[in-house]
Amino acid sequence: MSATIEPAEPVTGRVIAAATRRAVVPADERRSAPRAGDWQIAAWRSFLRAHAHVMRRLEQDLQANHKVSLATYDVLVQLVEAPEHRLRMSELADAVLLSRSGLTRLVDRMQREGLVERQPDPYDARGLFTVLTAAGLAALKDAAVVHLAGVDELVLSRLTEGELRGMYELMSKIDPLVPEAQLPPDACGIE
Amino acid sequence: MSATIEPAEPVTGRVIAAATRRAVVPADERRSAPRAGDWQIAAWRSFLRAHAHVMRRLEQDLQANHKVSLATYDVLVQLVEAPEHRLRMSELADAVLLSRSGLTRLVDRMQREGLVERQPDPYDARGLFTVLTAAGLAALKDAAVVHLAGVDELVLSRLTEGELRGMYELMSKIDPLVPEAQLPPDACGIE
DNA sequence: GAAGATTGATGGGTCAATCTTG
DNA sequence: CAAGATTGACCCATCAATCTTC
């Protein structure tokens, strides 16, 4: 679409700077955040910035090349990875971290575009499956090339193998619910 | 507000898994993302998950305790850090990574709540300053305590000093436009 | 005409209430 | 009644067009 770099998400200084903090938080309350010193906050801010930076670019790349949003892309990925290319609405909602209603509407749109279909669950008439269509798979194939290239360019290629491992370690400490599996101990075969 | 942990942002597997990739991307195109192997992607996903996890909690904390959104909080922080507690609309928009129109509406709301005011610029009648009110400063003081405690609990306290430095290094490599200043070389005084 | 800011139309999300089926 | 899914009302962001002032 447009080549302009337009902000997509407000993130910058969502954290109060330590300077601000000293000015604003009474000294006796500072114990509540004992580690939030100047440069710790700088580290945290760098995290927010990096995230915003990368996500903005990825979203743009996808939209520009395939008119697919990241949310849509995420759904396509979840479906293609699922057995029989289908998932219950609720499961899908959990997988892409969307509310039920949010997912309903997203699937509505995707169905309109022919990327997915809804299938009743024969064993439980309350439930519905969202199933990937041929068009959906094709769209994913298209988008994946662009998207992966983006992730590679913006993130992976900028870090060494060891740094990537380091990042994984750090993130695991921040998010206790570590993703699916542990990082394979020595799956270093870069391709 | 509600204590429920509800998803706020779709992020999970926004990146195609390497398994998917092999199934979906023709072998001769894989060169375009040569480093996007299985565990590199795992590292990238951990980044997305950690971000979603933390932001969700921070947003909830703020909303629950002070009915302030992260975007609003961000504006308050930018203003309190600015000279004379005021900033031009455009500057503010850039600072919080919002579009001009997005900021106009956000400031509208904040003004309605009495957190900020608009001041004409005497030197350029086209421009407006957004200026922090006493109520805005008070709200910030309140919110900052909660927010900083959250950042501390969810991120800072989980990482050692060295790990925090490491994170800063990694993020700087991902986002070339490193924040304001470099990390002070030896500002290790944790309080 | 260009820059600062706002407005109108629209996309995409949330919660709370609802309908249907187990 | 509980669970799965949807709908209605609303919030918050974007872009494109507009108005005002330089």
Side-chain angles (χ1 to χ4, degrees), chain B residues 114-187:
Chain B
L115 302 175
V116 298
E117 278 175 0
R118 273 180 245 237
Q119 249 176 28
D121 179 342
Y123 293 91
D124 183 346
R126 295 173 301 177
L128 289 178
F129 284 105
T130 306
V131 44
L132 197 59
T133 64
L137 183 59
L140 176 59
K141 283 183 182 177
D142 250 21
V145 178
V146 171
H147 182 70
L148 282 175
V151 173
D152 188 46
E153 177 206 334
L154 295 168
V155 182
L156 304 183
S157 72
R158 295 171 189 267
L159 303 177
T160 69
E161 190 175 313
E163 287 170 336
L164 270 175
R165 279 187 184 280
M167 182 163 92
Y168 185 87
E169 296 298 327
L170 292 181
M171 296 306 135
S172 304
K173 292 190 181 185
I174 291 175
D175 182 7
L177 302 162
V178 188
E180 41 271 48
Q182 294 295 347
L183 194 63
D186 254 296

Side-chain angles (χ1 to χ4, degrees), chain B residues 60-112:
Chain B
Q60 284 172 356
D61 287 357
L62 230 41
Q63 290 281 2
N65 291 287
H66 306 286
K67 313 213 172 200
V68 170
S69 71
L70 265 179
T72 293
Y73 181 77
D74 201 0
V75 168
L76 293 176
V77 169
Q78 299 300 331
L79 288 178
V80 84
E81 288 184 0
E84 304 190 57
H85 289 185
R86 56 179 210 171
L87 238 36
R88 294 287 295 266
M89 294 291 282
S90 331
E91 294 176 304
L92 195 46
D94 292 344
V96 298
L97 296 185
L98 225 59
S99 68
R100 307 300 167 85
S101 52
L103 183 77
T104 292
R105 303 194 207 274
L106 177 54
V107 169
D108 283 349
R109 274 172 274 148
M110 293 180 67
Q111 191 166 13
R112 239 173 274 134

Side-chain angles (χ1 to χ4, degrees), chain A residues 6-7 88-90 100-101 104-105 108 118 126-128:
Chain A
E6 266 306 307
R88 294 286 294 267
M89 294 291 282
S90 329
R100 306 303 166 84
S101 51
T104 292
R105 304 198 205 272
D108 283 349
R118 273 181 247 238
R126 293 173 302 179
L128 289 178

